[in-house]
Amino acid sequence: MQEDEFTETTDWLTNTERILTVVGTWPKNKTNLRFILSLVYMTIFVVMQWADFVSHIDDLQELADILCETVVGTMVVIKLLVFHKNRVLSKMIDAVNQDCENNKTRLSPSEKRKYALCNSKGKTFVKIFTFFVGATCVFYYLKPLPIIVLAANRNGSTSLVLPFRTSLSFERTDAYVYAVLYVCQMGALLQIFLGYVGTHALLITLMMHICGELSVLSERIVNIKKQMEKGHRCEIQKIITRHLRLIWMAKEIDTAFTVVLLSQVISSEIMICVAGFNMIVSTRISDAVYDCAWYEMPPSQAKDLILVMARSQKPLHLTAGKVFVFSLEIFSEFVKTSMAYLSVLRAMT
């Protein structure tokens, strides 16, 4: 059963290869056509997004809404450039395949169970991540349709909104033109899905492989005395050699993903900032009430505005189970508590 885990690791690499090959970003891919088509399409798409961003430079609220979409598209372009024929990633993929083949005979049953545990965690995370990314992409793509359908049923008029905001040199008032544009944006949605799922799946597969190998190495170090008593004098040398190889693999993975992870951190900060801005916008109600001509209103109506001002000063927020508020202060407390628990666990082992 444990040998199947090594086969499943290589199978995950194969599945990742299929995903990234669609957009031409598999590191060992020998063809350039899909990559060129994907890069040209996404570059044009992102340029149109940034053009729309610039066209709303005077409207801060619009800029905040457009920025999130633009950052996502830009991330895909960065991943296309980083992953295509990446020699470091190509070496890592070959190294993982070689390790999985050797581990079928090199590892003991208990060591295989150690490796299988790390591998199963990685697979579970990838499955959950893929589901949520896929669901988010589908719902985001279908978001404009209910508005248009409701407006049509009520015989009303509404602007023909596309899933992604882009700057166009022509009006999309014609239904056929709108339908064509709507379908064309499906390509961007597909590339966003494949780009995020494929790159993260590859990173997690490589990381979990190293974690599994480190778990195996830890068990061998614990049992090193027993092995030396059996006459295995070169066991220490094997452990050192294996440890050096895993350190090399970890550094190579860091080199391969450092640009992607940096851009991911920056984009995440931008999205969190925009989300926070949208939450804070409700506090402008208080300023609006104060700036209105309340002194020209009847006293009874002016007093009612005090209630609106008082409620608007209470910030809107997200909670976990109606208990914890998502804020920087609570996040810091969670980190401190986690580190305290980690210290206790380390003291117990």
Side-chain angles (χ1 to χ4, degrees), residues 7-21:
T7 303
E8 291 181 8
T9 300
T10 55
D11 288 343
W12 272 105
L13 286 176
T14 302
N15 293 333
T16 306
E17 178 183 359
R18 292 170 181 169
I19 294 174
L20 294 179
T21 299

Side-chain angles (χ1 to χ4, degrees), residues 298-317:
S300 59
Q301 296 180 2
K303 290 180 181 179
D304 292 338
L305 291 176
I306 296 178
L307 299 176
V308 178
M309 179 181 291
R311 179 59 185 87
S312 64
Q313 292 177 348
K314 182 179 179 181
L316 302 175
H317 50 251

Side-chain angles (χ1 to χ4, degrees), residues 139-157:
F139 286 130
Y140 198 88
Y141 185 74
L142 299 178
K143 179 182 64 174
L145 295 182
I147 301 175
I148 297 174
V149 171
L150 288 175
N153 291 336
R154 296 174 181 176
N155 296 322
S157 61

Side-chain angles (χ1 to χ4, degrees), residues 279-290 303-319 322:
M279 296 290 289
I280 293 173
V281 165
S282 63
T283 61
R284 293 183 179 177
I285 299 296
S286 178
D287 297 335
V289 171
Y290 181 79
K303 290 180 181 179
D304 292 338
L305 291 176
I306 296 178
L307 299 176
V308 178
M309 179 181 291
R311 179 59 185 87
S312 64
Q313 292 177 348
K314 182 179 179 181
L316 302 175
H317 50 251
L318 300 176
T319 63
K322 302 297 182 181

Side-chain angles (χ1 to χ4, degrees), residues 82-154:
V82 171
F83 273 67
H84 180 63
K85 289 190 176 179
N86 189 304
R87 295 182 179 180
V88 176
L89 282 176
S90 180
K91 288 193 299 182
M92 291 302 98
I93 293 169
D94 292 337
V96 171
N97 286 327
Q98 181 182 354
D99 286 346
C100 290
E101 188 63 30
N102 295 336
N103 286 345
K104 293 179 181 179
T105 56
R106 184 175 64 90
L107 302 186
S108 64
S110 61
E111 292 173 343
K112 290 178 180 179
R113 285 192 293 269
K114 288 274 187 179
Y115 181 89
L117 180 61
C118 289
N119 192 39
S120 62
K121 292 179 181 179
K123 291 187 296 184
T124 302
F125 182 85
V126 170
K127 291 178 181 178
I128 296 174
F129 178 78
T130 301
F131 172 78
F132 279 107
V133 172
T136 302
C137 289
V138 171
F139 286 130
Y140 198 88
Y141 185 74
L142 299 178
K143 179 182 64 174
L145 295 182
I147 301 175
I148 297 174
V149 171
L150 288 175
N153 291 336
R154 296 174 181 176

Side-chain angles (χ1 to χ4, degrees), residues 8 27 78 80 88 98 101 112 124 133 176 211 217-218 230 248-249 251 261 272 277 334:
E8 291 181 8
I78 293 174
L80 284 170
V88 176
Q98 181 182 354
E101 188 63 30
K112 290 178 180 179
T124 302
V133 172
Y176 293 102
C211 290
L217 192 63
S218 299
K230 295 179 181 179
W248 167 77
M249 292 181 68
K251 289 182 177 179
L261 293 178
I272 293 173
F277 172 76
F334 280 164

Side-chain angles (χ1 to χ4, degrees), residues 238-255:
K238 292 180 180 179
I239 289 174
I240 294 174
T241 302
R242 190 62 186 170
H243 192 205
L244 290 175
R245 176 178 171 81
L246 294 176
I247 292 174
W248 167 77
M249 292 181 68
K251 289 182 177 179
E252 291 293 285
I253 293 175
D254 175 62
T255 301

Side-chain angles (χ1 to χ4, degrees), residues 136-192:
T136 302
C137 289
V138 171
F139 286 130
Y140 198 88
Y141 185 74
L142 299 178
K143 179 182 64 174
L145 295 182
I147 301 175
I148 297 174
V149 171
L150 288 175
N153 291 336
R154 296 174 181 176
N155 296 322
S157 61
T158 182
S159 58
L160 299 178
V161 181
L162 293 171
F164 299 100
R165 300 185 57 167
T166 55
S167 179
L168 299 172
S169 59
F170 54 89
E171 295 293 333
R172 49 175 182 269
T173 55
D174 186 77
Y176 293 102
V177 174
Y178 172 74
V180 171
L181 293 174
Y182 204 104
V183 173
C184 287
Q185 287 199 352
M186 184 182 295
L189 183 82
L190 180 63
Q191 292 214 43
I192 290 172

